[in-house]
Amino acid sequence: MKRILLFPKLGIAALVIGIGLLTGGGAIAATASLAGEWHGLLDTASGPEAIGIKLNGDDANLSGGEIRPGTQAFDTVTLTGKSLHIRSIPGDFTYDGVLQEGGNMITGTLVLNGEPVPLTLVRGLGGIVLTTEQAAQVEGTWEGTIVIGAINLLVDLHIVRDASHLYVATLDSVNQGAKGLPATFSVADGKLQFKLPAVNATYQGTIDATNKEIAGSFSQNGMDMPLTLRRVAKVASLTTALTDRQAARFAGIWEGTLREFGLLVDLRITRDASGQYLCMLDSPMQGANGIPTTFTVAASDIEVTAPALGGSYKGSIDDANKSISGVFTQLGKAIPLVLAKVDKAATITRPQTPKPPYPYKTEDVTFPGGADGVVLAGTITEPEGAGPFPAIILVAGSGPNDRDESILGHKLFFVIADNLTRRGFAVLRYDKRGTHLSTGDYGSATTEDFAVDALAAVKFAKSRKEINPARIGMIGHSEGGAIAPMCAAKSPDIAFIVLLAGLGTRGDHVILWQTAAMGKADGESPEVIAAGQEMLRKVIEIYAATPDQAAAVAKLKAYADQFAAATTLPAEVRARIAVALPLVCSPWFRGFLAYDPAPALQRVHCPVLALNGSLDKQVSPDDDLPGIAAALKAGGNRDVTTAVLPGLNHLFQPATTGGGEEYAKIPTTIDPAALARIGDWLDAHGK
């Protein structure tokens, strides 16, 4: 499960919570099918021209469509992986594009009458009609900044008239590198409202008399943040002009290590097509690359600001132009960082990540989730042959996890699926609702909602002729280790379950223990750990006494402000409170605190394997594993195997402290002995 630290000490660590504000953990949620309306702008000699493309059918059978203006039909549409190819009937144009992560954007090239033109398409949510007066009020580009503690997110709202003379809206989160989030919107009585379904966010604002400013509030996951949008002729640029001498000194790739955390950092300063320079920040060991920044250069000094991280870097270059010595500051904490110029950035290897060709079949699939509007996208791997095969559903821990349960460059579920498919199991893994290529509302979902989705995955597996419907099981990791028993208690279709760092105690106990254990392992001071415990107990108290979520959120925000104002802890700690607050105020957090896994475990009667690492600092091997065993025994289950695996952390990596700061540094994704332990048990109980 995600680290629920009120004071996360991670180094470039707002990536864990902060950068997910608008993008849902860095990825824009998508609609499962490409069919429907897509919009883009062509750069022409007379200026930008709106273009619309409509795709008919579904991903399995895209059956043509049309391009506007001109309503020209096309008959050839093919989708291969993430590559889309379109060709018109007379052959006047072709379009070749790549579906971007999240599924709401296609970047590619339109070849029109032999001339190639770059064209980015964003998914349309359906345009609306505006009166002349309304169009004058809102049409154009609007810009503003969302502030969450030390984190600043610049956003651009684009409201344009499409080729069918309807108005459509998209939003860019500039500092997060997220563009084209589709929005639905309305204009009435001098007010603008829009909704971003992909990230569970809304905005309501009042348009001033000059039609140049909209003052309002941006809301996401129960948090309201002031946001004033101002009309701009041109969006803010992240580029910087450099003289030839400055470019010779500073342009290139710079690499260094935040030694306190052992995290590699890359700065890439490159020239764009306009001759200006861009600076992108990478944290390769955390799997976070291309984070937009702004930067300035003066004499031998450089200053880089990463607003989405609440971070900055100030340094001075040496006379040889080969080294920059400086300080990286995030959420008030200053860390020395020396960058060296390199020809090529270091490659972070995860040797266990499978590489093709695979000795089994792999298929990307979509299937209905557990609620209306939820379509889950995933991958199923199956052994060669006709089957039927025993099958395993992989259920991820908390956070906006993709089908591979990717974390810090590791792909835990990909490694597990590969291993078990080689052993003769079919394995289904999927993106959680509202993340990556799955639809639905992630921000308002609770553990119970994710359990319903997991049961939908079981139903889908049962429908496939190559899967043995009597031998379907689940592997749940962390929060997934609470979801698997919930499902097994409800469904006789589940024949066995494996709980990896699963929950055996109430959620509030887990959160309190985790915060203290992770803080200690990561070197937090006793004062900071004690403050985190104090805050969490107050959060638990507020939720217990306040059934209404909106009222509880108001109390939580007031308490956080009061605590931050009164505490004598360092400024960096106060900054972390603001970063953690959106998570604490979410419906998921409330539900998790109150969840008791014992009743569900007592109703599980299929075979169970439950494992913990001895160095797990997120789920207690001393409390939760015995809790699982006791609840299963109380329910009469006699086919239960539990084990604490020495020296392994929450991800089942071989570790030294078990702290979260080690996760990225360890090249092993999952200890081979642990993988073998899981596979051997499944061979005996799952086939």
Side-chain angles (χ1 to χ4, degrees):
M1 60 184 291
K2 68 168 75 105
R3 297 175 64 189
I4 314 298
L5 296 182
L6 284 184
F7 309 138
K9 181 185 177 187
L10 285 170
I12 313 190
L15 292 172
V16 174
I17 297 174
I19 202 166
L21 177 76
L22 284 179
T23 62
I28 306 168
T31 302
S33 174
L34 291 183
E37 296 282 348
W38 294 80
H39 303 276
L41 289 174
L42 280 177
D43 286 327
T44 68
S46 58
E49 179 181 341
I51 191 169
I53 289 180
K54 181 181 180 182
L55 298 177
N56 299 327
D58 55 45
D59 287 358
N61 184 29
L62 289 168
S63 55
E66 61 186 38
I67 185 170
R68 298 185 298 268
T71 317
Q72 182 175 355
F74 49 82
D75 63 344
T76 300
V77 186
T78 57
L79 179 66
T80 305
K82 294 186 177 182
S83 298
L84 178 71
H85 173 74
I86 298 173
R87 187 180 72 236
S88 67
I89 294 172
D92 291 341
F93 77 86
T94 62
Y95 180 72
D96 288 283
V98 177
L99 184 68
Q100 297 302 301
E101 182 77 15
N104 281 325
M105 181 185 296
I106 303 171
T107 58
T109 301
L110 179 73
V111 179
L112 189 61
N113 298 323
E115 293 293 326
V117 184
L119 175 61
T120 295
L121 298 170
V122 296
R123 188 184 296 279
L125 290 179
I128 65 172
V129 175
L130 295 180
T131 66
T132 302
E133 179 185 3
Q134 290 171 330
Q137 287 179 307
V138 300
E139 184 179 8
T141 298
W142 301 82
E143 194 163 71
T145 301
I146 301 171
V147 179
I148 315 105
I151 294 172
N152 294 273
L153 298 178
L154 183 69
V155 295
D156 291 331
L157 175 68
H158 306 280
I159 299 177
V160 300
R161 189 173 67 170
D162 70 8
S164 60
H165 300 285
L166 297 177
Y167 287 85
V168 295
T170 59
L171 185 133
D172 303 336
S173 181
V174 179
N175 301 129
Q176 295 176 301
K179 294 185 177 181
L181 281 79
T184 58
F185 77 104
S186 63
V187 182
D189 301 323
K191 297 183 183 299
L192 169 71
Q193 298 185 17
F194 66 79
K195 182 177 182 180
L196 301 166
V199 293
N200 190 38
T202 60
Y203 177 79
Q204 297 186 43
T206 300
I207 307 164
D208 75 354
T210 66
N211 297 336
K212 293 181 178 180
E213 184 174 290
I214 306 172
S217 178
F218 183 91
S219 301
Q220 186 182 38
N221 298 337
M223 290 292 294
D224 296 325
M225 293 155 276
L227 174 60
T228 297
L229 296 169
R230 294 178 175 85
R231 189 187 292 277
V232 294
K234 184 178 180 182
V235 298
S237 174
L238 300 180
T239 61
T240 296
L242 297 180
T243 66
D244 290 343
R245 184 171 186 275
Q246 288 172 329
R249 301 191 75 188
F250 288 96
I253 302 172
W254 298 87
E255 191 165 76
T257 300
L258 291 167
R259 298 202 176 277
E260 182 172 345
F261 307 108
L263 288 177
L264 195 67
V265 176
D266 292 329
L267 284 181
R268 293 181 286 110
I269 301 175
T270 57
R271 185 178 180 180
D272 69 6
S274 70
Q276 301 281 301
Y277 286 82
L278 283 166
C279 180
M280 295 291 187
L281 184 148
D282 299 339
S283 181
M285 297 172 75
Q286 293 183 303
N289 299 315
I291 300 166
T293 74
T294 58
F295 78 108
T296 58
V297 169
S300 296
D301 298 327
I302 183 171
E303 182 171 353
V304 180
T305 303
L309 306 182
S312 64
Y313 177 71
K314 294 181 180 180
S316 298
I317 195 169
D318 66 1
D319 292 339
N321 301 333
K322 293 183 178 180
S323 177
I324 301 174
S325 298
V327 174
F328 178 85
T329 303
Q330 186 186 32
L331 303 182
K333 183 175 181 62
I335 310 161
L337 176 61
V338 176
L339 300 170
K341 181 172 277 191
V342 296
D343 294 328
K344 185 179 180 181
T347 301
I348 303 302
T349 59
R350 304 301 188 201
Q352 288 176 292
T353 301
K355 297 177 178 59
Y358 310 117
Y360 50 77
K361 294 176 286 187
T362 181
E363 179 185 353
D364 290 337
V365 296
T366 59
F367 55 94
D372 291 342
V374 177
V375 177
L376 301 174
T379 299
I380 189 165
T381 52
E382 298 170 349
E384 294 290 351
F389 306 106
I392 296 168
I393 313 298
L394 300 185
V395 184
S398 58
N401 286 301
D402 64 11
R403 67 197 68 186
D404 296 328
E405 204 181 42
S406 302
I407 177 173
L408 303 174
H410 292 288
K411 297 180 179 293
L412 178 60
F413 276 8
F414 192 5
V415 175
I416 291 175
D418 175 81
N419 180 272
L420 296 181
T421 308
R422 292 171 188 265
R423 283 178 174 261
F425 292 89
V427 182
L428 173 62
R429 61 197 200 272
Y430 57 92
D431 304 330
K432 293 176 75 169
R433 71 162 66 181
T435 72
H436 308 279
L437 295 180
S438 291
T439 66
D441 185 352
Y442 171 79
S444 64
T446 64
T447 302
E448 287 76 10
D449 295 322
F450 296 128
V452 174
D453 286 343
L455 286 171
V458 173
K459 181 179 179 181
F460 171 72
K462 280 188 65 180
S463 72
R464 295 178 67 93
K465 65 181 185 305
E466 64 274 21
I467 287 177
N468 182 349
R471 304 307 301 161
I472 298 175
M474 276 188 181
I475 297 178
H477 177 231
S478 196
E479 186 192 19
I483 291 171
M486 293 168 68
C487 294
K490 293 179 180 179
S491 173
D493 294 326
I494 298 174
F496 53 90
I497 58 174
V498 177
L499 312 181
L500 303 178
L503 274 61
T505 60
R506 275 180 55 105
D508 48 9
H509 171 85
V510 173
I511 296 298
L512 283 164
W513 183 88
Q514 176 193 109
T515 303
M518 288 290 272
K520 184 176 180 181
D522 288 340
E524 293 283 14
S525 70
E527 293 78 14
V528 169
I529 293 172
Q533 296 289 288
E534 177 188 342
M535 279 202 75
L536 276 172
R537 288 193 179 93
K538 184 64 176 180
V539 168
I540 293 166
E541 176 187 320
I542 289 172
Y543 272 132
T546 317
D548 180 74
Q549 179 67 7
V553 167
K555 291 181 181 180
L556 289 169
K557 291 163 66 176
Y559 171 68
D561 291 342
Q562 174 190 341
F563 184 94
T567 185
T568 58
L569 292 172
E572 64 181 272
V573 174
R574 295 194 295 273
R576 294 177 196 171
I577 294 172
V579 172
L581 196 57
L583 172 65
V584 172
C585 292
S586 69
W588 174 85
F589 196 77
R590 171 195 273 276
F592 187 84
L593 288 175
Y595 182 68
D596 182 358
L601 287 162
Q602 291 169 8
R603 298 195 303 274
V604 173
H605 301 294
C606 65
V608 178
L609 171 66
L611 303 176
N612 258 95
S614 67
L615 294 179
D616 191 333
K617 304 302 181 185
Q618 292 189 242
V619 176
S620 170
D622 298 323
D623 296 340
D624 286 273
L625 198 59
I628 290 171
L632 291 167
K633 182 179 180 180
N637 194 330
R638 296 295 179 261
D639 195 347
V640 177
T641 303
T642 64
V644 176
L645 305 185
L648 303 188
N649 62 17
H650 186 65
L651 304 184
F652 292 85
Q653 301 170 297
T656 301
T657 69
E661 291 173 7
E662 289 186 327
Y663 293 171
K665 305 176 195 176
I666 301 170
T668 302
T669 297
I670 179 172
D671 181 65
L675 202 54
R677 183 77 174 260
I678 297 165
D680 291 346
W681 186 89
L682 286 169
D683 284 343
H685 293 80
K687 292 184 176 178

